[in-house]
Amino acid sequence: MDFKYLFIMTILLFSMVGERALVDSLGCNWGLQAVHPLPPDIVVQLMKDNGFNKVKLFEADPGALKALGRSGIQVMVGIPNDMLAGIASSVRVAEEWVQQNVSNYLSRRGVDIRYVAVGNEPFLKSYNNRFTQTTFPALQNIQAALIKAGLGRDVKATVPLNADVYQSDSGLPSGGNFRADIHDLMLSIVKFLNDNGAPLTINVYPFLSLYADSHFPVEFAFFDGNADPVVDGPVSYTNAFDANYDTLITALEKNGFPNIPIIIGEVGWPADGDANANRQMARRFNQGLINRINQARGTPKRTVLPDIYLFSLIDEDAKSIDPGNFERHWGVFYFDGTIKYPLDLGRSRNLTAAKGVKYLARQWCVMAPNADLSDPNLAQSLGMACTYADCTSLGYGSSCSGLDARGNASYAFNMYYQTMSQQRGSCERFHNLSIVTRIDPGFHDASCRYEIMIDTGRHVRTNPGTSEATGTNVAGSVVLWVMLSLIVCGWLN
């Protein structure tokens, strides 16, 4: 094993895409990119029932913030990247944003806002420097606005950054330094954060190493201690999280900031959408992470763990799948707040599902029994269904990839039907290939879920914003996979 290569890949591939209490201090990310979102009050109760007392929002969503009022949950509220230019150009714009989205909710709603997240991973290489010039000025203006509002002590501005802002040329944590193209900018940001008593926020994703490199050793992604170690002088690293985090600490030490506080803004493992994204591996990673938090055990270079925000609380079926089909499946809970896999939270506590969720009628849209798999309209119908609904679970290596041809079609038709809230006529759009049934067409494989959507009309619905990386519901790679499956099996000419 070439450990230099191993560790360089660990660091580079993350870019693809005081003592703490025990698990009671665990945070989570709450994303809002869902076609049928859970009502905010149910989500907040879900967090409270499971011991999440910190939450990171990607935007100042009114429904989410109102529900968090007087909940006892500490809040990091985000500013989307597409707002950075406006805030960077004018302190007045920053002041108006703080007044509307921080001061207002603190004073009128009792929302315990602790941080403002200025942007979201704005220095990703895939952005081609789009936000390089606006992030730091926006951070400065938000901080100035917080001070003017009398909130400078209690609310801190930070910038959630991807782990690709630092690297190691030696392939070891001791070689850590900030990325050359943004080195001076990173020092300016870190100094500003340090001067204002604010934390540096970093997102770390061991899963992306496996996703991007089939030769990456699986065991190194987990916390079990089963991996061959990466030896760095007197220190041996047996997991990617510790090695990556200590690379950051080295970069900070080399540049004169050995004690700045750090927040892990995102870390987790998806449970669908890729061969390495399944419930077993997600449970293994997240249980290991929670065990580490329960043990209050840090890394070799920092013996106390920072605040950690698990990514994420619930699935988001409207997120962009440009990074991969797994993007819609990071939640510890499914979209409706049901449990994907058990987690031991410590102190004899296990995960608790959401309460009070209302669903649409128990009916499904499936391929009609008399429909012919050789029908020339089938390919077009599948394409249409998966353009407007989430078919990522049908992709190669995903939870429903083992379905036969009729199962593929039925799954796609039903996802469209449910996405359209079971509206009259929505199951009839597939050229007489589909039919509505009240008989549960569930599969033999329990991991493949035949969904019924949340009835948002029976709840107070919030307006899901667009702060995270968003896109259409087009799942082109999934459609291609389904088409190829049908062709290989001889069902399409």
Side-chain angles (χ1 to χ4, degrees):
M1 171 65 66
D2 185 344
F3 290 120
K4 179 176 180 180
Y5 166 79
L6 162 63
F7 192 68
I8 288 175
M9 291 306 297
T10 301
I11 297 298
L12 294 180
L13 293 174
F14 283 139
S15 66
M16 299 288 289
V17 262
E19 279 201 14
R20 306 298 175 190
L22 298 184
V23 78
D24 290 331
S25 67
L26 182 64
C28 64
N29 286 263
W30 177 9
L32 299 166
Q33 302 304 305
V35 175
H36 290 72
L38 269 176
D41 58 328
I42 291 180
V43 177
V44 170
Q45 189 61 50
L46 179 67
M47 285 188 274
K48 294 172 69 174
D49 288 345
N50 289 281
F52 292 101
N53 72 344
K54 296 180 176 67
V55 65
K56 181 159 75 72
L57 303 174
F58 293 89
E59 63 183 311
D61 179 77
L65 286 168
K66 290 176 184 176
L68 286 162
R70 299 176 181 85
S71 65
I73 297 173
Q74 298 175 12
V75 179
M76 179 187 295
V77 59
I79 299 175
N81 288 337
D82 58 11
M83 293 180 63
L84 295 179
I87 291 174
S89 66
S90 169
V91 177
R92 181 61 182 273
V93 173
E95 291 172 353
E96 291 175 352
W97 189 92
V98 166
Q99 172 58 39
Q100 179 179 350
N101 300 297
V102 181
S103 300
N104 176 51
Y105 288 104
L106 276 167
S107 61
R108 297 181 58 191
R109 299 283 183 173
V111 183
D112 188 7
I113 298 175
R114 300 293 182 95
Y115 302 104
V116 174
V118 182
N120 183 43
E121 300 186 336
F123 303 145
L124 283 175
K125 291 181 180 179
S126 59
Y127 288 144
N128 296 317
N129 295 314
R130 180 181 172 190
F131 307 110
T132 303
Q133 303 302 318
T134 56
T135 299
F136 186 32
L139 174 67
Q140 292 173 305
N141 286 348
I142 288 293
Q143 182 64 44
L146 290 170
I147 292 172
K148 184 174 181 179
L151 301 173
R153 284 188 174 184
D154 300 323
V155 183
K156 301 297 182 181
T158 183
V159 181
L161 298 166
N162 187 273
D164 77 335
V165 298
Y166 50 91
Q167 58 192 24
S168 174
D169 292 335
S170 71
L172 298 171
S174 59
N177 209 337
F178 292 112
R179 211 171 75 204
D181 62 310
I182 55 171
H183 185 274
D184 293 344
L185 175 58
M186 280 300 304
L187 293 192
S188 296
I189 289 175
V190 172
K191 182 179 186 305
F192 184 81
L193 294 172
N194 193 61
D195 289 347
N196 286 278
L200 176 65
T201 302
I202 295 292
N203 301 337
V204 178
Y205 282 112
F207 166 79
L208 295 182
S209 297
L210 278 178
Y211 181 71
D213 180 12
S214 60
H215 298 292
F216 188 90
V218 174
E219 294 300 323
F220 198 67
F222 297 94
F223 295 95
D224 303 340
N226 297 328
D228 293 332
V230 171
V231 179
D232 189 2
V235 180
S236 293
Y237 291 93
T238 58
N239 69 81
F241 179 90
D242 286 2
N244 188 280
Y245 186 78
D246 278 5
T247 304
L248 169 63
I249 302 303
T250 299
L252 291 168
E253 292 173 346
K254 283 181 179 178
N255 291 283
F257 302 98
N259 299 314
I260 186 171
I262 295 171
I263 287 175
I264 300 299
E266 300 177 21
V267 60
W269 200 280
D272 205 354
D274 182 70
N276 288 317
N278 55 61
R279 292 182 300 173
Q280 293 73 30
M281 297 178 81
R283 179 188 181 189
R284 182 183 177 192
F285 181 87
N286 287 326
Q287 187 65 69
L289 178 66
I290 290 171
N291 291 345
R292 283 288 297 274
I293 296 170
N294 278 332
Q295 296 161 6
R297 179 164 59 90
T299 65
K301 293 190 74 67
R302 282 205 180 179
T303 57
V304 177
L305 278 180
D307 280 342
I308 293 176
Y309 290 77
L310 185 67
F311 192 87
S312 84
L313 186 68
I314 48 182
D315 283 349
E316 300 172 80
D317 63 349
K319 283 191 71 176
S320 169
I321 59 169
D322 287 344
N325 290 337
F326 55 83
E327 276 298 317
R328 295 176 177 174
H329 303 281
W330 288 96
V332 174
F333 297 93
Y334 289 107
F335 75 100
D336 57 354
T338 53
I339 298 170
K340 286 186 182 179
Y341 45 82
L343 284 176
D344 179 2
L345 302 177
R347 299 174 179 171
S348 301
R349 291 192 307 166
N350 298 304
L351 287 181
T352 300
K355 301 179 179 67
V357 181
K358 306 298 182 183
Y359 294 89
L360 297 173
R362 284 187 57 81
Q363 57 191 33
W364 300 263
C365 179
V366 297
M367 192 170 187
N370 61 345
D372 189 345
L373 286 168
S374 63
D375 190 307
N377 292 309
L378 180 58
Q380 177 188 351
S381 296
L382 288 173
M384 192 272 286
C386 292
T387 293
Y388 294 101
D390 178 25
C391 293
T392 52
S393 292
L394 289 176
Y396 176 76
S398 299
S399 62
C400 298
S401 61
L403 298 178
D404 62 17
R406 302 193 78 87
N408 275 324
S410 291
Y411 185 95
F413 293 162
N414 185 64
M415 287 305 297
Y416 177 86
Y417 179 62
Q418 302 296 338
T419 298
M420 297 298 129
S421 301
Q422 300 183 1
Q423 292 177 6
R424 185 183 301 274
S426 57
C427 187
E428 285 72 47
R429 298 193 62 184
F430 303 116
H431 305 282
N432 297 317
L433 292 169
S434 55
I435 188 172
V436 174
T437 179
R438 296 183 181 275
I439 300 173
D440 187 345
F443 304 120
H444 295 296
D445 182 359
S447 67
C448 183
R449 286 165 49 101
Y450 216 88
E451 306 288 11
I452 294 178
M453 287 292 178
I454 297 168
D455 186 353
T456 55
R458 299 173 69 183
H459 301 289
V460 178
R461 183 176 183 179
T462 61
N463 178 26
T466 57
S467 61
E468 294 178 89
T470 60
T472 65
N473 288 334
V474 177
S477 61
V478 176
V479 177
L480 179 59
W481 162 248
V482 174
M483 296 299 115
L484 289 175
S485 299
L486 294 174
I487 292 171
V488 170
C489 294
W491 284 305
L492 288 180
N493 295 322

